[in-house]
Amino acid sequence: MTLRVYFGVTFLQIWLRGHDHTTKSAQAILVFGTTEDNGTASPELKARLNQALSLYDAGRAPWVVVTGGRRPGDVYTEAGVSATYLEAHGVPASRILKGAGNDTWQNVSTVVDKLRRHHIKTVITVTDPFHEYRAMAISSDQGLTPYPSPVRNSPTIKHQLWRFYLKETLEVGVGRIVGYHHLSEWTTTPVKVHHPSGS
């Protein structure tokens, strides 16, 4: 298989996964972080959180897991902003688990131990359509059983969407060869996280 065919098939898999919406329930909703605006959810993050709220309110899962760390210059973490938003919209703090992370691998790795402590294995993954394939693959690599719920109305689709799909095609194509964990180690600053128990 030539590289052109390999990455072409990879792109097709990413595209199809981004249009696949599960009807299953799970033990938790896993929301992948994205940028926040000085303590307020950005339009992109708000779209993901609203999708998670719809799933939670529909009884599709009893837990919501939020991820995302603090980017250079930020005061707030993406996970912290997400948790605040969810609580303001009716999700009890006791039903929210928080992680961190500077990339997708770290997003999952910073919450997987907490999920295990609550005996959570099945998750509905909420992220942008172009990111859904990689988010699910990395969740599977870390022992979770993910079901897709890509955001239908993300503001990201109004921008140059081909760049996001190109980035994902490259990252998935390389990640499947070298391992997503190794790709994260090579490209992203390690994250050290400590949260109080149950947070």
Side-chain angles (χ1 to χ4, degrees):
M1 181 183 292
T2 66
L3 281 178
R4 182 177 297 178
V5 173
Y6 173 70
F7 282 104
V9 170
T10 299
F11 169 83
L12 181 60
Q13 291 172 324
I14 292 168
W15 177 268
L16 291 174
R17 179 59 75 194
H19 293 78
D20 184 13
H21 295 267
T22 186
T23 59
K24 295 182 178 180
S25 295
Q27 294 167 299
I29 301 158
L30 175 55
V31 186
F32 286 83
T34 188
T35 54
E36 55 83 30
D37 295 328
N38 195 30
T40 302
S42 66
E44 293 80 8
L45 181 55
K46 189 178 293 185
R48 298 184 187 187
L49 295 171
N50 286 340
Q51 176 118 338
L53 283 168
S54 294
L55 293 167
Y56 180 83
D57 290 341
R60 297 279 296 279
W63 293 88
V64 184
V65 185
V66 291
T67 65
R70 183 183 292 111
R71 298 172 188 266
D74 285 352
V75 175
Y76 303 92
T77 66
E78 294 166 7
V81 170
S82 296
T84 299
Y85 185 91
L86 292 173
E87 289 175 43
H89 287 79
V91 181
S94 60
R95 283 289 156 179
I96 300 172
L97 298 175
K98 289 187 288 185
N102 298 317
D103 67 5
T104 305
W105 180 272
Q106 292 178 4
N107 284 172
V108 178
S109 66
T110 57
V111 296
V112 71
D113 284 344
K114 294 177 183 179
L115 296 179
R116 287 174 182 148
R117 287 200 296 271
H118 290 282
H119 308 289
I120 295 170
K121 183 170 182 178
T122 59
V123 294
I124 299 174
T125 53
V126 176
T127 188
D128 282 85
F130 54 82
H131 183 231
E132 188 69 48
Y133 185 98
R134 185 159 58 98
M136 290 183 66
I138 287 174
S139 297
S140 294
D141 277 1
Q142 299 197 47
L144 301 175
T145 300
Y147 306 126
S149 186
V151 175
R152 298 177 188 270
N153 61 340
S154 172
T156 306
I157 65 175
K158 299 177 182 178
H159 305 295
Q160 292 178 306
L161 199 56
W162 66 269
R163 292 186 177 182
F164 294 99
Y165 275 102
L166 176 60
K167 174 180 178 291
E168 287 300 314
T169 299
L170 291 173
E171 292 201 23
V172 170
V174 174
R176 290 194 298 200
I177 295 171
V178 304
Y180 291 107
H181 188 192
H182 290 304
L183 185 61
S184 174
E185 290 178 334
W186 296 342
T187 61
T188 309
T189 303
V191 61
K192 294 182 179 180
V193 183
H194 173 73
H195 292 302
S197 178
S199 65

